[in-house]
Amino acid sequence: MAETAHGVGGLKYDHSKRARPPEINVLIALVLIVLVFEALGALLMDQSFLFDTRGRFDSIFNEARLKIIILQVAIIGIIALGVTQVIITGGIDLSSGSIVGATAMIAMSFAQVAEVNGSPNPKAIFGPWAMDLPVTVPILVGLACGVIAGGINGALIAYTKIPPFIATLGMMVSARGVAKWWSKGNPISFPTDEYAAIGAGMTPVFIFIFLAILFHFILKYTVYGKHTYAIGSNEAAARMSGINVARHLVLVYTIAGVLAALAAVVLSAKNLTAQSGMGIMYELDAIAMAVIGGVSLSGGRGSIIGTCLGALIFGVIISGFTFLRLDAFYQEMVKGAIIVGAVVLDQWRQQRNASKS
Amino acid sequence: MSEIVLKTEGLTKHYGGVHALQDANFELKMGEHVAIMGDNGAGKSTFVRQITGVERRTRGKILFYGKEVNFDGPLDAREAGIEAVFQNLALADDLDVPDNLFLGREIIKFNLGPFSILDYKAMRKATQEALVRTAVKIPNIRNPIRNMSGGQRQCVAIARTATFHSKLTIMDEPTAALGVQETAQVENIVRTLKEAGEPLILISHNMRQVMDLCDRIVVFRRGRIVANLKKEETDGQDVVAYITGAKTQPEYEGAA
């Protein structure tokens, strides 16, 4: 069987030759981090991190903490879904945090109620025509903001050939300017009940999970996904294969912008207010989630599943530090170290792969 | 067999002041394998880039199966039936073999514009058929290309042309970076193309390979065609003389 030893025309499908998906490593990291907090909890706090030791809940888990872990990463997680796609094309998006700020302001000003406790809305931006509108209006306005901002990002990168870092840095500064200019720095508050419902309770989590499943499917099973990986993997090859790279990049950055805008709608609904400083540093958290989840900054590799695991790692660390009653400064220090560590790991993995072949 | 597959008339490409290609008149007949030889910078790759639509020619005519063509890009050329295997391979490292074979022309289940659903099963099946047809051996087609040897990658790139029954195959130094065994494998694929009567343009620096695989040798020098030699009427030394500029065929005299 000399022929099958080499494999004839790929007729053989050898499971042992299949590489372990990198998401497994992220999952292992997640479990390890949880175990560290469990151990520290048992040692220092005399209670469990994730399990219900005091009989407060019906299940064996500490449901309150599980909910908080996922709730606090859901909104940035929505942004990270878009950032993941951008990074897979080999790009970067620094503007998502500012798009959140601008979109939150603009969308919220179409979601206000006319009267608060019988008196006119003190934070009103527009006249009565923009009050008590159906909830679809602020949502569509918000999404339009995302399309415009993301579309500009994509068009700049695709047609002027400037590096994504610069294009989205420009958008980061400009969109923040829009957020401040929109209401001259005043917060915008008192949304309609329907709008507030978008961010109430666990709704942000459901929105995040729905979008994660949707984009997992899109990246894995559609032409769009295939071309996204192809461009990040070898842009010249993608071009020579006849992929319209410019048009595709515009689409990817537009989708990232729309996801940031969606996050803004959810965030402003959850907070019942919009402020020009909303979303500062969100872009870096979103990038960090993707990178921790195994999305390679050099493009071509990564997945939505990885990013979701990265987001969970993020949530576990934040909750863990709160659980141990450590100050927020420590959180940031450790967060920074983890981001750098994830990139170092990625480089190391790449070098090992390169030396193998 | 005398039908003309490809004909160029006065094909010219200038990069600013650099005249990379000057008045190339070239002909390729049905079932013919033609080698293009020449020193580095002689205009071989430039010539191919004009034919495959990667670049826009400065002037001149390209006739493909008797019809004048103006390709807007490589996809256009590919749709017309010109398949090119480029020097830099043009494979996406992170994708597997079927993905690369069908890159830019995926088989789809439902058409939803850019979000059309891929038909992985059909693509895998077609890939296996193509690999069997070209006798290319790949241990596992679902591994990313990154993990494959140079020869395997080259074979994937060439299998791509075989999958789509191209009307013209162009190979730009397909064995430049390969070992002895891998080169032999690629040459075998070229021979199967010859048996199938598929026309081929082969760019190569390898004299033995050219003499082995091709019917005719066209020599480029400093952006111009300087010789058009039948394999039976020439030998290695003769070709080298044309490449280096020691000789020029009389009909190309005025050009060089």
Side-chain angles (χ1 to χ4, degrees), chain A residues 6-7 9-10 12-14 17 217 220-224 226-227 230 233-234 237 239-242 300-301 357, chain B residues 74-75 78 86 90-94 99 103-104 106 114-118 120 128 131 136-141 143:
Chain A
H6 211 78
K12 201 168 69 158
Y13 179 61
D14 188 349
K17 286 213 166 90
F217 183 83
K220 218 155 170 148
Y221 298 104
T222 71
V223 174
Y224 167 86
K226 199 68 21 181
H227 290 183
S233 192
N234 185 345
R239 192 166 284 121
M240 265 192 246
S241 302
R301 270 171 306 145
S357 58
Chain B
L75 187 62
R78 180 178 271 191
F86 287 100
L91 296 173
D93 275 350
D94 299 297
D99 286 349
L103 193 57
E106 293 79 3
F115 299 104
S116 297
I117 314 288
L118 296 164
Y120 276 112
Q128 288 180 338
L131 294 180
V136 172
K137 291 169 184 171
I138 305 279
N140 185 350
I141 59 167
N143 262 351

Side-chain angles (χ1 to χ4, degrees), chain A residues 37 49-50 64-73 311-326 331:
Chain A
F37 280 121
F49 177 50
L50 284 187
R65 181 161 289 123
L66 285 178
K67 276 184 183 168
I68 285 174
I69 287 175
I70 184 159
L71 185 59
Q72 66 193 355
V73 295
L312 279 181
I313 289 182
F314 229 74
V316 164
I317 289 170
I318 297 169
S319 297
F321 275 68
T322 317
F323 164 64
L324 296 174
R325 305 222 178 89
L326 289 169
Q331 272 178 35

Side-chain angles (χ1 to χ4, degrees), chain B residues 167-231:
Chain B
K167 293 177 182 159
L168 168 61
T169 306
I170 299 174
M171 295 187 190
D172 192 349
E173 303 203 34
T175 59
L178 301 187
V180 177
Q181 259 193 328
E182 294 168 338
T183 301
Q185 202 179 7
V186 169
E187 285 173 357
N188 273 332
I189 299 174
V190 174
R191 283 192 197 96
T192 58
L193 289 179
K194 177 79 189 167
E195 279 158 26
E198 300 202 13
L200 170 88
I201 296 175
L202 174 73
I203 298 184
S204 178
H205 284 296
N206 185 331
M207 191 67 71
R208 177 201 56 76
Q209 183 176 65
V210 165
M211 288 297 181
D212 230 24
L213 298 174
C214 297
D215 310 309
R216 201 149 57 82
I217 299 166
V218 172
V219 180
F220 277 67
R221 191 169 73 231
R222 299 172 69 188
R224 292 171 186 279
I225 295 179
V226 292
N228 181 359
L229 310 156
K230 284 211 175 87
K231 182 172 76 176

Side-chain angles (χ1 to χ4, degrees), chain B residues 233-248:
Chain B
E233 297 166 5
T234 185
D235 57 38
Q237 265 186 331
D238 195 38
V239 176
V240 170
Y242 285 112
I243 292 173
T244 55
K247 273 168 91 178
T248 301

